[in-house]
């Protein structure tokens, strides 16, 4: 008999989580103004809000914490992180930051000015926020296929080369500080980008003499998909694939809270010494001295160890198979989601489920609240609340997709939890026809309203 798949780790420490009653949850979500970010984590049973900083560190990572060097300048921990970034990713220069968006802030403070254009494949919301806040533009050049949730494509997060070339051709050269390629493409459903696409985007950047920035939060998951789906890579190690990926890039921003499996941390890395030097000022000003930036020594140690573990095939296989497992359960129940299952999350297609809720009443948010009420499971809306208002017209933007993202933290939950998530969704799915109204906004911040929005239930 063929042996079934199982995790490449065993569990040494556990953290209790608590179930609640529907009545309790109704009260709590009302107090949270129907914003899932505003719930206390104690009021959540299975937390799929994000896979960012929520993973379980390994025994070796916890050991590294004890070895941290907290010197203000030139700490051993800085050099450990520097060696890992050089060995695994191939960059000579970097600045540590407290997380990914801080890396964006340091970089974009240096290179982006008003009126600039930074094309990309579905910029992540903080990336877009940092660009638009500087009155620059972030044209989306993702392939159209990404918007059809039922289309089964191996690399559904890719950049459309024609769209990208059009932007590069029609924009004055000095207005393009860089192209942003996000691997994997979070917003489009945790969908990967092929090595061929990375290579082609890089070639276009060279043709137009523009720098290529890889937004790299989930670069290792992307490498796993290249190994398992792209011809010619099956026999290469994840680390070899990662090296090739970064051979095409000039800059990377990293949220280490994802594929480096730490609770906090990030960095921006450069091939070019001059740009590294230019960015140092904003690092010192906003984060900290250049050898610790926004991080403590112990966290830099854990990050270095996490980069190594996170680029091991077994770690990635265990993780991605769990996401796939949840996807298969949803298939059994006929629940539509962005296909194929993404690297870090399942993106449930709320528009196809809650067909009676008008888009002005926030379809994916409505589904998110229903799932919380059903079983205390917290996902996150990737829909029109996240899409924000158009910076020029201030009109609501209604994206083609209304998704409820169920992000799976690394090494944290078991497949029994996946079964509960799928069953809870099925229960909501079975009563979908009875859900006809959504929410209206009673408060929103001028930029990135998603996190602090307040809502009122309609109907
Ligand atoms: N880029 C991508 C692709 C991301 O997914 C994130 C964060 C960031 C940059 C910013 O990094 O959070 O460390 O400041 N994504 C998290 C998420 C928040 O839930 O998807 P950060």
């Amino acid at each position: 008999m063929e042996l079934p798949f199982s995790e490449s780790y065993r569990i040494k420490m556990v953290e209790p989580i608590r179930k609640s009653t529907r009545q309790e949850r109704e009260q709590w979500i009302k107090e949270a103004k129907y914003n899932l970010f505003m719930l206390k984590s104690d009021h959540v049973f299975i937390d799929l809000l994000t896979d960012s900083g929520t993973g379980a560190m390994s025994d070796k990572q916890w050991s590294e914490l004890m070895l941290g060097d907290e010197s203000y300048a030139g700490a051993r921990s800085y050099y450990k992180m520097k060696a890992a970034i050089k060995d695994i990713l191939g960059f000579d220069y970097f600045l540590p930051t407290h997380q990914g968006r801080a890396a964006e802030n340091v970089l974009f403070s240096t290179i982006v000015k008003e009126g600039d254009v930074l094309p990309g494949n579905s910029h992540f919301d903080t990336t877009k926020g940092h660009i638009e806040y500087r009155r620059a533009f972030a044209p989306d050049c993702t392939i159209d296929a990404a918007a059809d949730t039922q289309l089964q494509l191996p690399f559904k997060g890719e950049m459309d080369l024609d769209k990208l070339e059009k932007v590069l051709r029609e924009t004055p050269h000095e207005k393009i500080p860089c192209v942003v390629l996000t691997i994997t493409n979070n917003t489009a459903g945790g969908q990967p980008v092929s090595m061929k696409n990375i290579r082609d985007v890089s070639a276009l950047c060279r043709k137009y003499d523009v720098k290529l920035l890889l937004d790299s939060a989930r670069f290792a998951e992307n490498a796993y998909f290249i190994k398992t789906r792209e011809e010619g890579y099956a026999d290469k190690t994840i680390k070899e694939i990662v090296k090739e990926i970064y051979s095409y890039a000039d800059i990377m921003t990293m949220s280490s809270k994802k594929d480096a499996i730490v609770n906090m941390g990030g960095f921006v890395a450069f091939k070019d010494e001059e740009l590294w030097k230019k960015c140092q000022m904003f690092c010192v000003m906003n984060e900290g001295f250049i050898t610790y930036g926004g991080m403590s020594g112990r966290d830099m140690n854990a990050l270095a160890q996490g980069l190594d573990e996170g680029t091991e095939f077994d770690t990635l296989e265990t993780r991605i198979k769990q996401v796939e497992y949840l996807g298969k359960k949803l298939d059994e129940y006929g629940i539509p989601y962005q296909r194929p299952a993404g690297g870090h999350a399942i993106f449930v297609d709320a528009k196809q489920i809650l067909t009676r809720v008008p888009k002005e009443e926030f379809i994916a948010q409505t589904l998110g609240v229903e799932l919380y009420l059903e079983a205390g499971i917290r996902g996150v809306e990737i829909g029109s609340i996240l899409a924000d208002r158009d910076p020029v017209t201030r009109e609501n933007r209604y994206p083609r997709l209304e998704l409820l993202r169920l992000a799976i933290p690394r090494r944290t939950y078991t497949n029994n939890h996946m079964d509960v998530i799928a069953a809870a969704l099925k229960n909501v799915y079975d009563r979908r026809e009875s859900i006809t109204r959504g929410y209206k906004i009673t408060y929103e911040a001028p930029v990135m309203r998603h996190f602090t929005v307040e809502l009122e239930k309609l109907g």
Side-chain angles (χ1 to χ4, degrees):
M1 174 178 184
E2 197 190 331
L3 298 181
F5 182 76
S6 74
E7 294 79 0
S8 63
Y9 53 79
R10 56 183 178 178
I11 297 167
K12 193 181 301 206
M13 190 187 284
V14 296
E15 180 184 2
I17 48 176
R18 180 180 164 268
K19 288 183 192 152
S20 52
T21 64
R22 186 177 174 110
Q23 202 181 9
E24 285 175 317
R25 293 193 290 275
E26 273 169 5
Q27 181 62 26
W28 293 332
I29 192 69
K30 193 170 169 208
E31 284 165 9
K33 307 268 172 32
Y34 300 97
N35 175 348
L36 295 154
F37 284 98
M38 290 298 164
L39 286 169
K40 289 183 181 167
S41 65
D42 277 347
H43 294 168
V44 175
F45 180 49
I46 302 175
D47 204 345
L48 309 180
L49 186 68
T50 181
D51 63 322
S52 181
T54 53
M57 288 206 297
S58 68
D59 51 352
K60 287 198 178 136
Q61 285 183 290
W62 282 103
S63 312
E64 283 295 331
L65 292 183
M66 298 304 290
L67 300 173
D69 173 1
E70 306 302 342
S71 302
Y72 193 95
R76 272 191 315 278
S77 299
Y78 168 78
Y79 288 102
K80 192 172 255 183
M81 183 166 159
K82 184 175 163 66
I85 289 174
K86 174 68 184 169
D87 289 351
I88 299 169
L89 306 162
F91 286 85
D92 283 315
Y93 307 100
F94 83 104
L95 296 166
T97 59
H98 75 273
Q99 57 184 90
R101 68 199 67 185
E104 292 161 6
N105 189 31
V106 167
L107 177 66
F108 292 164
S109 294
T110 312
I111 66 171
V112 178
K113 50 188 191 318
E114 184 171 344
D116 279 354
V117 178
L118 293 85
N121 56 334
S122 326
H123 309 71
F124 181 65
D125 46 340
T126 60
T127 319
K128 191 151 91 192
H130 273 298
I131 292 170
E132 292 183 346
Y133 180 74
R134 290 175 170 81
R135 298 185 188 282
F137 301 93
D140 182 16
C141 301
T142 311
I143 53 169
D144 289 333
D148 178 350
T149 60
Q150 296 315 296
L151 210 58
Q152 192 89 18
L153 278 185
F155 294 102
K156 218 173 166 180
E158 294 192 330
M159 187 92 83
D160 183 316
L161 297 170
D162 293 334
K163 288 187 198 170
L164 175 63
E165 181 149 26
K166 187 165 186 294
V167 176
L168 295 178
R169 202 174 45 233
E170 293 174 359
T171 313
H173 175 256
E174 69 280 6
K175 285 197 173 301
I176 312 177
C178 64
V179 166
V180 186
L181 185 65
T182 303
I183 55 171
T184 57
N185 183 331
N186 180 4
T187 312
Q191 298 295 326
V193 175
S194 67
M195 190 72 89
K196 179 175 187 315
N197 194 242
I198 298 173
R199 204 181 296 126
D200 289 346
V201 169
S202 165
L204 264 186
C205 287
R206 253 176 282 135
K207 178 173 166 193
Y208 288 87
D209 189 24
V210 168
K211 285 193 178 352
L212 175 59
L213 162 65
L214 293 188
D215 178 350
S216 301
R218 302 179 182 85
F219 74 95
E221 289 169 10
N222 202 97
Y224 173 90
F225 286 122
I226 289 174
K227 181 177 169 73
T228 53
R229 293 181 185 173
E230 189 166 350
E231 211 187 308
Y233 289 93
D235 296 331
K236 294 203 190 301
T237 65
I238 296 292
K239 285 188 167 69
E240 284 166 346
I241 294 170
V242 166
K243 267 280 170 60
E244 184 181 341
I245 290 176
Y246 288 105
S247 72
Y248 302 119
D250 300 293
I251 315 167
M252 74 179 281
T253 47
M254 177 68 186
S255 169
S256 306
K257 303 166 73 169
K258 283 86 167 174
D259 277 355
I261 329 181
V262 288
N263 302 120
M264 192 52 77
F267 59 88
V268 47
F270 314 86
K271 295 272 174 72
D272 175 20
E273 183 179 6
E274 206 178 312
L275 183 57
W276 170 63
K277 284 200 161 148
K278 275 193 195 150
C279 288
Q280 289 177 355
M281 182 179 83
F282 286 102
C283 182
V284 173
M285 225 158 75
N286 295 308
E287 292 292 302
F289 181 63
I290 59 168
T291 63
Y292 73 88
M295 298 185 68
S296 48
R298 55 182 171 272
D299 287 335
M300 289 194 277
N301 273 20
L303 195 163
Q305 175 64 28
L307 266 183
D308 184 33
E309 289 174 21
T311 48
E312 283 300 314
F313 181 76
D314 285 353
T315 309
L316 289 160
E317 187 185 40
T318 297
R319 158 159 193 64
I320 291 173
K321 287 224 152 127
Q322 184 168 54
V323 179
E324 236 173 60
Y325 176 87
L326 177 58
K328 283 189 188 136
K329 280 269 150 196
L330 299 192
D331 288 341
E332 253 176 61
Y333 302 146
I335 299 168
Y337 61 91
Q338 170 71 304
R339 286 171 182 288
H344 67 296
I346 293 286
F347 287 63
V348 182
D349 190 339
K351 226 182 201 170
Q352 286 198 42
I353 298 175
L354 300 185
T355 52
R356 303 182 66 187
V357 177
K359 72 175 191 305
E360 293 77 11
E361 298 181 9
F362 307 114
I363 303 166
Q365 182 67 18
T366 305
L367 185 63
V369 172
E370 287 299 326
L371 182 62
Y372 174 71
L373 288 173
E374 183 65 34
I377 296 163
R378 167 159 75 171
V380 73
E381 187 243 28
I382 307 281
S384 36
I385 298 183
L386 177 66
D388 234 309
R389 291 177 188 274
D390 183 285
V392 179
T393 66
R394 301 304 299 157
E395 290 298 318
N396 272 318
R397 290 189 276 213
Y398 294 105
R400 276 183 288 182
L401 294 179
E402 283 281 343
L403 303 169
L404 174 65
R405 187 184 77 171
L406 307 175
I408 314 298
R410 293 163 186 77
R411 314 191 279 210
T412 304
Y413 292 111
T414 68
N415 283 1
N416 287 332
H417 293 111
M418 300 302 122
D419 290 343
V420 173
I421 297 159
L425 255 178
K426 181 184 187 307
N427 290 346
V428 175
Y429 187 65
D430 287 347
R431 60 180 165 78
R432 62 192 180 280
E433 290 302 318
S434 68
I435 303 166
T436 58
R437 298 300 305 270
Y439 297 86
K440 77 166 189 207
I441 293 180
T442 56
Y443 163 79
E444 62 184 287
V447 184
M448 285 191 272
R449 64 183 182 186
H450 195 226
F451 303 98
T452 53
V453 71
E454 294 180 4
L455 300 162
E456 194 178 287
K457 198 169 167 50
L458 293 167

